[in-house]
Amino acid sequence: MVEKHLNSETEQTAHQQKKAFWWLSFVAFFSVMNETVFNVALPDIAKDFGVQPSAASWVNTGFIISFAVGSMVYSRISDMYGLKRPLVIGLFIYGGGSLLGLLAHAFFPAVILARFVQGAGASAVPALIMVMITRHIRPEDRGKAFGIVGSIVAAGEGIGPAIGGMIVHEIHWSFLFLLPMAALLSAPYFSKRLVDETVLIRNIDVFGICLLSFAIVMFALFTTEYHILYMTAGFVAVSGFALHIRRVKHPFIEPSLLRNRKFVIVVLSGCVLLGTVAGFISMVPYMMRTVYHMSAGMIGGGIIFPGTMGVILFGVLSGTLTDRIGNRPVFFLGLSFIAASFLAASKFGDRAPWIMTGLLVFTFCGLSFIKTVISNSTAQCLKQEEAGAGMGILNFACFLSEGIGIAFVGGLLSIRAFDMPFLPAMENPEGAIFSDMLYIFTFLAVAGGLLYVLADRRIKR
């Protein structure tokens, strides 16, 4: 009887975890979609407020920076208070930021502030779903779980520009702030049904969070303004953070994790690749507007959206392949899709719009493969007790790199001297700057691949 009762409790717990996983996936779709939904609106925002692309890019960069820092904070909090309370609080912060943006959309600084607040709330979801998988999914099934999440996340990132383009074209870009409200539908379920586990209680390293956040903002400003003062301030803050985490009892980032070379190299590889792809995707609306004079609706729905169709299939497929044949083959398949797409776009992107549409399909599919492998490889580098902090660092670093990638593109578009082609370029003279950026993206993708090769030698698959 006791054994039967225990089995019943185990089955019930597994059912609750499965249901919570799908609710988290639902919310993750909307939270990550908000990362890219403003992409096609950036040219319109720059025009409405009379600002340079480097300034307009902060509508996305601000969201992603707070999203990155928040993902790390929520992962650390989950080690202290479990999943329930951080998740519900994050959802309401997300809704508050959305309301602020909608009501104050006529004031550019308020729009940037609203995006920072949105990111601080939305980051709870992908951070905690990664922790849930690492803690509660068997190692032999993690690849599939990461694949499902990667598919949902990639679909959210991909469909964001399509929905955003439609809303911008038919209504106004300020109504993009309404979309996140759908995530609040899940709050009652999490509040009532999700079991809140307490792992341990300890203080939060607020000073460390502030130091690292300041450094990130300074580095992001440097990629858009290229002023040495920002770079200097960033290095000072990072140096102070490095000293700080060695002196406090419970630092924001455990120094022991940073001494795990396998873990660090895998995370760096993911940063380079995801940041590069994010920069490429943020470049596409500017390229389509400049070369083809397309509207936001056509860019989002006709150029970017088709790429999301293959993402759902390939995200699940990547998880299955990873479990069966290992990380490395799947990784290089994804890398090949991405690098080949960049090279083809650099030369033929101005021949016809449908060419970019097809290349984006390959890029999004490659992105799904890369995300699954990076998540799975990172989990293999961590001990059970390191899951929350380790997966939090991965989320933090990768989301941060996406923000830096978008800011980098905005900065390059504001440099007039970059208009000259340095290598064989598109036939359309207006496409020269985009050809140059695509060659840089290709180089960065290859560099990310080499980093993974270095890490893969140390990882037991």
Side-chain angles (χ1 to χ4, degrees):
M1 289 293 293
V2 174
E3 184 178 351
K4 185 177 181 179
H5 178 69
L6 290 174
N7 288 337
S8 177
E9 285 188 346
T10 302
E11 289 177 4
Q12 186 176 3
T13 302
H15 176 73
Q16 288 290 343
Q17 289 173 354
K18 185 177 181 180
K19 194 171 183 180
F21 172 79
W22 287 113
W23 267 109
L24 277 168
S25 299
F26 165 78
V27 183
F29 175 84
F30 284 96
S31 65
V32 178
M33 181 181 69
N34 209 29
E35 181 184 333
T36 60
V37 74
F38 276 85
N39 270 0
V40 296
L42 294 182
D44 293 86
I45 292 173
K47 182 180 178 181
D48 286 355
F49 290 107
V51 297
Q52 291 291 321
S54 58
S57 69
W58 274 89
V59 172
N60 268 355
T61 300
F63 176 88
I64 296 176
I65 286 177
S66 62
F67 196 89
V69 175
S71 67
M72 182 64 189
V73 172
Y74 285 113
S75 295
R76 298 294 288 165
I77 292 175
S78 74
D79 287 336
M80 300 161 57
Y81 302 109
L83 301 177
K84 179 179 177 179
R85 278 176 286 179
L87 182 57
V88 173
I89 290 171
L91 287 174
F92 281 104
I93 292 174
Y94 189 24
S98 302
L99 185 61
L100 171 64
L102 182 65
L103 297 178
H105 70 271
F107 188 45
F108 186 63
V111 172
I112 302 298
L113 175 61
R115 292 290 281 165
F116 268 101
V117 176
Q118 276 191 320
S123 57
V125 181
L128 298 180
I129 196 172
M130 298 291 258
V131 173
M132 175 179 281
I133 292 172
T134 306
R135 283 184 187 165
H136 302 295
I137 302 296
R138 295 179 302 175
E140 59 269 25
D141 294 327
R142 283 180 189 160
K144 183 178 180 180
F146 282 129
I148 292 172
V149 174
S151 176
I152 292 169
V153 167
E157 290 177 337
I159 205 171
I163 295 177
M166 181 175 62
I167 292 175
V168 171
H169 182 69
E170 299 294 337
I171 313 175
H172 189 260
W173 59 263
S174 61
F175 283 83
L176 298 175
F177 282 107
L178 275 177
L179 294 176
M181 297 300 181
L184 293 177
L185 294 173
S186 64
Y189 169 80
F190 292 125
S191 181
K192 293 180 180 179
R193 301 291 183 182
L194 193 63
V195 177
D196 196 2
E197 66 225 312
T198 300
V199 181
L200 53 90
I201 300 294
R202 63 190 183 194
N203 295 327
I204 300 175
D205 182 15
V206 177
F207 183 66
I209 294 171
C210 293
L211 267 179
L212 188 58
S213 300
F214 178 77
I216 291 166
V217 172
M218 291 299 102
F219 285 130
L221 281 171
F222 177 77
T223 62
T224 56
E225 302 295 333
Y226 298 105
H227 197 294
I228 192 63
L229 178 63
Y230 296 129
M231 178 65 75
T232 303
F235 274 119
V236 170
V238 165
S239 300
F241 178 76
L243 292 173
H244 171 75
I245 62 175
R246 286 172 171 80
R247 295 179 178 178
V248 297
K249 187 175 182 180
H250 299 298
F252 181 48
I253 295 178
E254 292 289 347
S256 60
L257 279 173
L258 300 181
R259 289 193 291 269
N260 184 337
R261 295 184 64 184
K262 294 183 292 185
F263 169 77
V264 170
I265 297 172
V266 170
V267 171
L268 284 176
S269 174
C271 286
V272 173
L273 289 165
L274 270 62
T276 300
V277 173
F280 168 68
I281 295 171
S282 72
M283 180 206 75
V284 170
Y286 287 105
M287 178 179 168
M288 294 296 102
R289 183 69 63 89
T290 301
V291 176
Y292 296 106
H293 309 288
M294 298 176 71
S295 67
M298 183 59 68
I299 294 170
I303 302 299
I304 299 177
F305 177 70
T308 65
M309 294 299 96
V311 166
I312 299 173
L313 171 64
F314 280 91
V316 177
L317 177 62
S318 66
T320 303
L321 287 175
T322 300
D323 287 336
R324 290 184 178 179
I325 65 176
N327 294 322
R328 191 169 186 173
V330 178
F331 177 87
F332 283 109
L333 182 60
L335 180 63
S336 299
F337 282 161
I338 292 171
S341 298
F342 291 168
L343 284 174
S346 67
K347 182 63 179 175
F348 306 111
D350 64 338
R351 303 294 175 88
W354 63 264
I355 292 178
M356 284 301 298
T357 301
L359 294 176
L360 279 165
V361 171
F362 282 98
T363 301
F364 278 119
C365 290
L367 178 64
S368 296
F369 281 47
I370 293 294
K371 282 190 171 184
T372 299
V373 172
I374 292 296
S375 298
N376 203 39
S377 298
T378 302
Q380 292 173 359
C381 297
L382 299 171
K383 299 175 183 177
Q384 182 70 22
E385 61 272 17
E386 297 174 331
M391 298 309 288
I393 290 175
L394 174 65
N395 277 315
F396 163 74
C398 289
F399 285 129
L400 173 62
S401 67
E402 291 179 0
I404 297 296
I406 293 171
F408 178 64
V409 168
L412 290 179
L413 288 171
S414 301
I415 300 176
R416 296 189 178 276
F418 199 67
D419 287 346
M420 296 187 301
F422 298 107
L423 290 169
M426 302 177 191
E427 293 180 354
N428 190 326
E430 292 183 317
I433 187 172
F434 303 109
S435 290
D436 291 340
M437 279 195 280
L438 286 161
Y439 283 121
I440 293 174
F441 293 157
T442 305
F443 170 79
L444 291 173
V446 172
L450 291 175
L451 277 173
Y452 185 81
V453 170
L454 179 62
D456 188 60
R457 293 176 180 177
R458 300 170 174 271
I459 298 172
K460 183 179 180 181
R461 289 178 292 173

